[in-house]
Amino acid sequence: MPGILAQISEIVMQYIDSAMVGSLGAAASASIGLVASSTWLIGGLISAAAGGFNVQIAHACGAGDGQRARRIMKCALLYSLIYSLILCAVAVLLSPMLPRWLGSSREVVSMAASYFGIYAVFIPVRQMYFLHTGALQCTGNMKTPGILSSLMCGFDVVFNYFLIFPTHKAAVGITMPGAGLGVAGAALGTALSFAVTMMLSIICVWKKPPVLSVRYTEKRGKERSREQDRERNREILKNAVRIGLPMALEQTASCSAQVYTTGIVAPLGTNALAANSFAVTAEALCYMPGYGIQGAATTLVGQAYGAKREDLVRSFGWLTTFMGMAIMSLGGLIMYFLCPYVFAFMTPVEEVRRLGAQVLRIELLAEPMFAASIVAAGALRGVGDTLAPALMSLISIWGVRVTLSLFLAPRIGLRGVWIAMCLELTFRGIIFLIRLAKNREFQKMESRESKSRRK
């Protein structure tokens, strides 16, 4: 539940951003929608880097090896910081050019460039936030990251209010100060909220004894040399790359397809681009609980795998997957009826509201299978199975979604893009369920259970 609430808090934050920026007009909303897929791509790469270390922490905690968990955390801090600084430099260099490549009106491109540039500068902050909160989750502490996520939502409201809007009189007649930065203020407000909660997450990891706290130094025995320490660190980095690189590939496949799809949507007009952006944000309220359960699945399966509790690995995998499917199906059903009111909250533009509700209702039909793909991926990640799911996502997204979007968008507009998305998510969910059933580690564990029952 804390994992689900944490994800919902992040989506509430996106709703607030969308509503505040939506009040500035369709062009402002379209500017954020233009680079949204690119920010998701970077967010996916950040999550993959953190996940490569966090899965190892879950295994170490499951095995009761706190010393190894702390060593992994120390290595993660160094390697993740270097990685995020490189990613930050690349994104900053691309920020003036990216919106022009995606294509839209000059006004939209200018605002999108400023939004993405501010996002890029704060990439290392986001990296440290996801690393520390993910590490806490993998020790079984889901409550603290949930609280931090809720706090970040509150900070975001406050920062956005004062940064987006100019100085104005509130309803009660009090003059409220404001920077009047518009779209750039939305980016800066969100970045500052991440910065504050990132510092709090670091305090939580460093102050809470003893599993992860880097204050607990590992004593080197006489038999161990510095070379042995370096060898252990290289092993941790190697495992992080083995786990995290396929996750990065999966995120790259998904988000690059989103970027490409945005290029398909952009020529359909500003209203279509804004409706697409709002529909994606509205849909997130349905699928983010799935990502909360995905985090729980990775933790449960990972700790059971590290503890060599083979009976629990399989049961946790299927239990969390079915739970995710049930919750996301219910969320999709509720959103089907509430989406007109959600869009009314986000934007005053009637055409954007109507089109956004139409396309979102198409995609909501795929929520059960979308949930299966999300949570099953987390369960598979818990046993270190990341390469096959990444390849499956790559084939599904580019082979089904992008191909169908290219065919349908010129014929039926934005609806065609979302029909393609619905069909692709259904296909992806089916193949992920098959992978969960056929995974080698799960098969091996099932056969051992059978032997035990026969004895």
Side-chain angles (χ1 to χ4, degrees):
M1 285 304 299
I4 293 173
L5 293 175
Q7 295 293 338
I8 291 177
S9 296
E10 292 184 23
I11 294 308
V12 170
M13 188 167 66
Q14 290 185 26
Y15 272 53
I16 294 167
D17 284 357
S18 297
M20 288 183 173
V21 175
S23 66
L24 303 177
S29 300
S31 67
I32 295 180
L34 187 66
V35 296
S37 300
S38 302
T39 59
W40 296 338
L41 173 58
I42 294 174
L45 295 176
I46 290 172
S47 298
F53 295 102
N54 289 338
V55 169
Q56 295 183 74
I57 291 174
H59 291 171
C61 291
D65 192 347
Q67 196 173 76
R68 177 169 172 78
R70 289 189 292 275
R71 173 173 286 275
I72 294 168
M73 189 67 201
K74 290 178 182 179
C75 291
L77 288 171
L78 174 62
Y79 297 136
S80 296
L81 182 60
I82 295 172
Y83 170 82
S84 63
L85 288 172
I86 295 172
L87 193 60
C88 172
V90 173
V92 168
L93 290 174
L94 291 177
S95 60
M97 299 173 285
L98 179 65
R100 290 201 301 270
W101 293 344
L102 294 173
S104 191
S105 66
R106 181 174 298 180
E107 182 186 11
V108 170
V109 165
S110 175
M111 290 188 290
S114 64
Y115 184 91
F116 187 77
I118 294 171
Y119 178 94
V121 170
F122 283 84
I123 286 174
V125 171
R126 291 172 180 263
Q127 179 71 78
M128 290 298 103
Y129 172 78
F130 284 115
L131 176 65
H132 285 81
T133 54
L136 287 170
Q137 286 181 340
C138 286
T139 65
N141 182 358
M142 303 292 287
K143 183 183 295 185
T144 300
I147 294 172
L148 290 174
S149 183
S150 299
L151 286 174
M152 182 166 61
C153 180
F155 291 136
D156 186 57
V157 173
V158 175
F159 290 140
N160 278 0
Y161 183 81
F162 290 105
L163 291 172
I164 293 176
F165 303 111
T167 300
H168 63 282
K169 282 193 175 182
V172 292
I174 300 175
T175 300
M176 301 298 294
L181 297 177
V183 171
L188 186 58
T190 301
L192 291 175
S193 66
F194 263 101
V196 174
T197 48
M198 180 270 293
M199 290 187 286
L200 294 175
S201 69
I202 291 175
I203 292 172
C204 291
V205 170
W206 288 18
K207 294 292 185 181
K208 285 183 177 292
V211 179
L212 286 181
S213 177
V214 294
R215 296 181 304 154
Y216 287 75
T217 57
E218 181 183 352
K219 295 181 179 180
R220 184 186 296 110
K222 294 181 179 179
E223 73 284 357
R224 283 180 48 206
S225 64
R226 291 184 180 275
E227 179 58 35
Q228 288 175 317
D229 284 344
R230 286 194 290 268
E231 181 61 32
R232 288 188 178 188
N233 292 344
R234 284 194 291 267
E235 179 189 358
I236 291 170
L237 179 60
K238 181 181 177 181
N239 288 335
V241 172
R242 178 181 59 83
I243 296 170
L245 187 60
M247 292 168 59
L249 174 63
E250 179 181 357
Q251 293 293 335
T252 302
S254 175
C255 295
S256 60
Q258 289 283 0
V259 172
Y260 189 83
T261 304
T262 301
I264 297 174
V265 173
L268 301 177
T270 300
N271 283 342
L273 188 59
N276 185 71
S277 175
F278 284 128
V280 170
T281 302
E283 184 215 359
L285 189 60
C286 300
Y287 68 68
M288 275 305 177
Y291 281 104
I293 299 174
Q294 182 194 67
T298 300
T299 299
L300 290 168
V301 174
Q303 289 196 7
Y305 184 78
K308 302 188 186 302
R309 287 295 307 273
E310 300 170 348
D311 55 325
L312 293 179
V313 170
R314 183 175 179 83
S315 61
F316 280 151
W318 285 107
L319 176 65
T320 52
T321 299
F322 288 138
M323 183 183 295
M325 293 176 69
I327 291 177
M328 281 182 57
S329 298
L330 178 61
L333 180 63
I334 295 172
M335 180 60 73
Y336 190 90
F337 295 102
L338 293 184
C339 60
Y341 305 100
V342 172
F343 285 102
F345 169 76
M346 289 181 173
T347 176
V349 182
E350 180 61 32
E351 175 62 22
V352 174
R353 293 181 185 178
R354 184 181 58 80
L355 183 58
Q358 287 177 357
V359 297
L360 178 58
R361 281 173 167 165
I362 294 171
E363 190 276 338
L364 290 175
L365 300 175
E367 286 301 301
M369 288 298 103
F370 190 16
S373 67
I374 292 172
V375 185
L380 293 168
R381 191 176 300 163
V383 297
D385 183 7
T386 55
L387 179 58
L391 295 175
M392 289 158 53
S393 294
L394 176 66
I395 294 170
S396 178
I397 293 171
W398 281 93
V400 179
R401 182 186 301 189
V402 173
T403 302
L404 286 176
S405 295
L406 286 170
F407 177 77
L408 294 174
R411 291 165 173 79
I412 54 177
L414 186 61
R415 297 173 188 81
V417 175
W418 283 73
I419 290 172
M421 187 189 303
C422 177
L423 295 175
E424 184 272 324
L425 290 174
T426 301
F427 173 75
R428 197 194 320 174
I430 292 171
I431 61 176
F432 266 84
L433 288 175
I434 293 172
R435 178 64 185 177
L436 188 62
K438 299 295 183 181
N439 175 268
R440 184 178 62 183
E441 295 295 335
F442 283 83
Q443 289 288 311
K444 185 191 306 181
M445 292 167 185
E446 185 181 30
S447 65
R448 289 178 183 175
E449 290 176 34
S450 300
K451 290 179 181 178
S452 176
R453 284 195 294 269
R454 284 198 297 272
K455 287 181 180 180

